[in-house]
Structures are given as C-alpha cells and as structure tokens.
Amino acid sequence: QVQLVESGGGSVQAGGSLRLSCAASGPPSSNYAMGWFRQVKGKEREGVAAIDSIGNTKYADSVSGRFTISKDHVKGTLFLQMNSLKPEDTGMYYCAADAENWRMLFSLLPPQDARYWGQGTQVTVS
C-alpha cells in the first residue's frame, strides 16, 4: 500500500511562487508514474504535470513553462515548482501514483483513476 502526503500549498499573490511536495511511503516500484492534478469545486479534476519512472515529464498547456515537476528517486518524494502563478491556478492540488496504469496517469487526460491519491493541498492565488 502506497501512501501519499502533499504539503506546500498556501495563499500567494499573482506572479508569486510555491513549491509543492508529495511524500510517498510504502513498497517502491520502479514502474511508477507520478503526477499532480488539481480540482476546483464544481469542476472536473485536471492534469497538471506528470513524470514517469525514467524521468520523462509532461505538462498541461496551461502550466507549461511556469511549472516544473521533479522527483527525488532516493526518497520517493515528488515536487512541483510553481512560478508566475495566476488566479486560474487556484485549486486543490493532488498527488497521484500508479504502476499498472502508468500510461494513463502520464497522459494527464481524463478520466483519471490512478490507484493512489493523496489528500490534497490547497493553492490560492489572488
């Protein structure tokens, strides 16, 4: 059983930066893809960024060039560096991981039904 715990969310003014972290614990898997997804109340969860087991990355068009996903492969911690934040980046940010369906997670496309999800961390940009 993999457990994911996000941290680093908060409130920031437009143009500011935040760094999200996702601490992963449990059995390691060399085939895991991990990603960040966000959701605004009343709207569908959307993919933000993903990283596969060998370090390939993928970004939503809306965040490309502003956000950077990375992973500490030793500790299994996932990061999302968010720069030049905009009000439309506001939402609950979730970390996800999957091995069996890693391609689906990596695509960032809906519907996302990754096996493991964190509880989320709120990001508010004003």
Side-chain angles (χ1 to χ4, degrees), residues 81-95:
Q81 178 66 43
M82 306 186 294
N83 298 328
S84 302
L85 283 161
K86 303 176 180 180
E88 50 263 45
D89 294 319
T90 294
M92 185 70 79
Y93 282 69
Y94 297 91
C95 171

Side-chain angles (χ1 to χ4, degrees), residues 51-106:
I51 186 167
D52 69 12
S53 60
I54 60 173
N56 294 309
T57 59
K58 188 178 182 70
Y59 297 93
D61 290 343
S62 59
V63 306
S64 183
R66 299 187 297 122
F67 291 11
T68 302
I69 188 171
S70 61
K71 183 179 177 183
D72 181 329
H73 292 277
V74 175
K75 296 182 178 179
T77 303
L78 185 70
F79 302 100
L80 185 68
Q81 178 66 43
M82 306 186 294
N83 298 328
S84 302
L85 283 161
K86 303 176 180 180
E88 50 263 45
D89 294 319
T90 294
M92 185 70 79
Y93 282 69
Y94 297 91
C95 171
D98 204 319
E100 184 175 354
N101 295 314
W102 71 267
R103 289 182 178 84
M104 186 63 194
L105 188 156
F106 191 74

Side-chain angles (χ1 to χ4, degrees), residues 8 36 38 118:
W36 291 97
R38 66 187 180 193

